[in-house]
Amino acid sequence: MDNLAARFEALGLNPQKAKEAAGNKKIAPVLDALIAATGQSAFGKSVGMLLYALATTAAKEATPHAEYVARAICSGRIASAEQLAAAAKFCRGSDPAADEASFDAECGVGVVVSDEQIAASVGGVLDSLKDALLAERYRGQGKALGAVKKCPALQWADSARVKSEFDAQLLALLGPKDERDDPARLKKAAAAAKKPAA
């Protein structure tokens, strides 16, 4: 198990997580097979994390063609969690090696979403929800973020960059949170308004 844990640490897992993965009877053999399928022994942290995510998915759902996806991760064709989810979905219905062009198209291989595209798309969604956001303020944040995540132009964008841009634009629109955004204070004010004057 120590040898396996050391191999898993090469993925970028911290020692504790690597030891846990090595001891997991479902994940360990899948992850070990994926590492072997790549033909590599050292990985960048982002690649390692995607391989680990693939192993956990494959262990739960018996993802076919997982070795193919592992090689796509190592080659940089699959580079995000969103692409990995699309790859797993594609592989459940098709053989990616038999139809690489469809695999690439379905998984966003080669698609790069620039910071400018992210800013424009987030801005467009927030603009369409501007009146509701100004009325609800930060209480409408979840709904607005959900709408941003559903934006087709952002399907293959890095989710951390999208969230960062969303937060910045929402702050620019609404300003910092204040007493209007405190649910407890709003409930007290509503209760006080309902009390009849003595």
Side-chain angles (χ1 to χ4, degrees), residues 140-158:
Q141 180 176 3
K143 181 180 175 184
L145 183 57
V148 166
K149 287 181 177 181
K150 290 179 184 174
C151 183
L154 299 176
Q155 180 178 9
W156 306 120
D158 178 82

Side-chain angles (χ1 to χ4, degrees), residues 25-133:
K25 290 182 184 345
K26 290 183 179 179
I27 294 174
V30 174
L31 187 54
D32 193 41
L34 293 176
I35 291 170
T38 68
Q40 294 180 219
S41 59
F43 305 89
K45 186 166 178 129
S46 61
V47 168
M49 293 297 109
L50 286 171
L51 286 172
Y52 179 76
L54 174 60
T56 58
T57 300
K60 288 180 197 168
E61 302 173 9
T63 304
H65 314 293
E67 286 92 2
Y68 179 90
V69 177
R71 289 188 295 274
I73 290 169
C74 286
S75 71
R77 290 173 54 214
I78 301 296
S80 70
E82 294 81 10
Q83 288 179 312
L84 179 57
K89 182 179 178 183
F90 182 90
C91 289
R92 283 192 286 276
S94 301
D95 179 359
D99 192 358
E100 283 195 19
S102 292
F103 176 82
D104 289 354
E106 289 293 318
C107 300
V109 172
V111 175
V112 177
V113 183
S114 71
D115 289 340
E116 293 79 18
Q117 290 170 308
I118 291 171
S121 295
V122 169
V125 171
L126 290 180
D127 195 45
S128 73
L129 300 171
K130 185 175 183 177
D131 293 337
L133 283 168

Side-chain angles (χ1 to χ4, degrees), residues 180-194:
R180 295 173 290 176
D181 303 307
D182 183 1
R185 187 175 287 193
L186 289 173
K187 283 182 184 179
K188 271 187 186 178
K194 286 184 183 179

